[in-house]
């Protein structure tokens, strides 16, 4: 098992990452070589199943931790991505403490939870089984996404849930749940984002957020965010292709 993502989160050192959405291990490999602190592998919105996720983890290898966002908060997704060897899971749309508890239960081996035991890549296909079993509960990060007004309203009970290591705010879904899709500077959207951030900071819980804007990252870090996902692979590819073309044609 490569990375202790739980300790990395607890250290509160800013971790700047980006979203990997393309089912192409070389792209994740390139991003890891470029020096990101972590990679957010998107199994929720991107066409990444367990095989693609495993290939991405193999390509990134030990360059940086990869944390996988699961498609939904069901046992099967949680155990498959953990068994592939991810350093943590990001659970989308956690709107209640019950959902947070369920994610923790499926992600932790007994006695803390009910994670199923299988022979898998996470422990070298059995070759480091005992070592992994000893460390997995302590080192695997469980991050819940707050991205709906119901999650905002339940933030205190979600933060009370034993085993939740950090919160990641999804501003786009949150804005949609308020009827303001994509309007991230709307005062109500901002009020919800700031409320979640402040509750996390008050409770010493690591908090992260997604931004498309690299220029916003240093102020996000000043505000207390330590887990940043900045842009995504497709955007970087598109933007740099367009920049080169525009220059060539100017
Ligand atoms: C959102 O903005 O809804 C996200 O999930 C970003 O990762
Ligand atoms: Mg979202």
């Amino acid at each position: 098992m490569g990375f202790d993502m739980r300790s990395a989160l607890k250290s509160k050192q800013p971790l700047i990452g980006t979203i990997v959405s393309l089912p192409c291990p070389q792209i994740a490999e390139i991003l890891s070589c470029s020096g990101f602190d972590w990679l957010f592998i998107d199994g929720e919105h991107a066409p990444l199943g367990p095989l693609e996720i495993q290939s991405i983890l193999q390509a990134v290898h030990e360059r940086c931790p990869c944390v996988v966002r699961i498609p939904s908060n069901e046992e099967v997704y949680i155990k498959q991505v953990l068994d592939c060897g991810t350093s943590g899971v990001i659970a989308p749309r956690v709107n209640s403490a019950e959902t947070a508890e369920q994610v923790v239960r499926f992600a932790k081996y007994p006695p803390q939870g009910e994670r199923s035991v299988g022979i898998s890549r996470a422990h070298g296909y059995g070759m480091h089984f005992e070592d992994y079993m000893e460390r997995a509960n302590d080192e695997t990060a469980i991050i819940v996404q707050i991205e709906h007004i119901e999650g905002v309203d339940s933030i205190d009970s979600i933060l009370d849930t034993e085993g939740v290591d950090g919160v990641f705010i999804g501003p786009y879904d949150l804005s949609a749940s308020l009827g303001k899709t994509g309007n991230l500077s709307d005062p109500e959207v901002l009020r919800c984002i700031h409320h979640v951030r402040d509750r996390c900071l008050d409770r010493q819980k690591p908090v992260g957020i997604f931004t498309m804007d690299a220029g916003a990252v240093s102020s996000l870090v000043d505000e207390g965010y330590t887990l940043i996902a900045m842009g995504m692979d497709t955007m970087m590819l598109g933007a740099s292709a367009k920049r080169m073309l525009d220059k060539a044609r100017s």
Side-chain angles (χ1 to χ4, degrees):
M1 157 160 204
F3 285 95
D4 180 350
M5 187 64 185
R6 260 186 98 219
S7 298
L9 272 181
K10 275 196 208 142
S11 78
K12 307 268 180 66
Q13 288 302 309
L15 299 170
I16 300 178
T18 190
I19 295 185
V20 173
S21 70
L22 292 166
C24 172
Q26 290 87 344
I27 289 184
E29 185 180 26
I30 293 166
L31 292 170
S32 69
C33 289
S34 70
F36 282 104
D37 299 313
W38 72 295
L39 292 177
F40 176 134
I41 314 300
D42 191 7
E44 184 197 13
H45 287 289
L48 304 179
L51 259 184
E52 288 81 15
I53 289 171
Q54 177 163 279
S55 302
I56 286 170
L57 298 176
Q58 286 166 330
V60 172
H61 194 49
E62 305 233 319
R63 267 179 231 97
C64 68
C66 290
V67 183
V68 177
R69 175 161 68 182
I70 46 183
S72 71
N73 299 315
E74 286 161 65
E75 179 186 13
V76 63
Y77 297 123
I78 297 171
K79 67 181 165 192
Q80 281 188 346
V81 301
L82 290 175
D83 283 355
C84 283
T86 180
S87 302
V89 285
I90 297 177
R93 208 171 284 218
V94 172
N95 294 343
S96 67
E98 290 71 38
T99 305
E101 271 161 27
Q102 174 179 309
V103 172
V104 172
R105 185 152 38 87
F106 294 140
K108 297 273 189 198
Y109 285 123
Q112 280 109 308
E114 295 172 10
R115 179 173 166 192
S116 173
V117 181
I119 300 300
S120 65
R121 180 175 180 270
H123 44 67
Y125 306 96
M127 285 178 262
H128 308 289
F129 182 81
E130 278 163 27
D131 179 51
Y132 182 76
M133 290 298 146
E134 257 170 42
R135 293 160 54 197
N137 282 357
D138 287 338
E139 299 187 4
T140 304
I142 301 172
I143 298 161
V144 298
Q145 271 203 276
I146 302 295
E147 50 179 352
H148 192 281
I149 182 63
E150 285 176 24
V152 175
D153 291 339
S154 306
I155 185 64
D156 283 307
S157 57
I158 291 171
L159 290 174
D160 282 339
T161 307
E162 181 83 30
V164 167
D165 300 310
V167 162
F168 190 88
I169 299 172
Y172 284 90
D173 274 316
L174 180 54
S175 67
S177 81
L178 294 165
K180 314 200 173 197
T181 308
N183 190 354
L184 304 191
S185 52
D186 176 87
E188 202 188 345
V189 175
L190 285 174
R191 187 189 58 74
C192 289
I193 290 176
H194 295 160
H195 176 69
V196 172
R197 176 201 64 196
D198 292 346
R199 294 310 295 132
C200 292
L201 295 177
D202 285 351
R203 308 277 299 268
Q204 319 282 325
K205 199 58 97 177
V207 59
I209 195 162
F210 173 69
T211 180
M212 301 275 255
D213 180 9
V217 170
S218 70
S219 33
L220 289 171
V221 170
D222 290 344
E223 286 174 44
Y225 293 99
T226 49
L227 189 69
I228 312 278
M230 175 182 78
M232 59 194 292
D233 50 8
T234 47
M235 246 181 63
M236 291 178 207
L237 196 58
S240 78
K242 190 163 182 332
R243 199 170 46 244
M244 286 181 83
L245 262 179
D246 287 348
K247 196 168 176 189
R249 287 182 175 146
S250 68

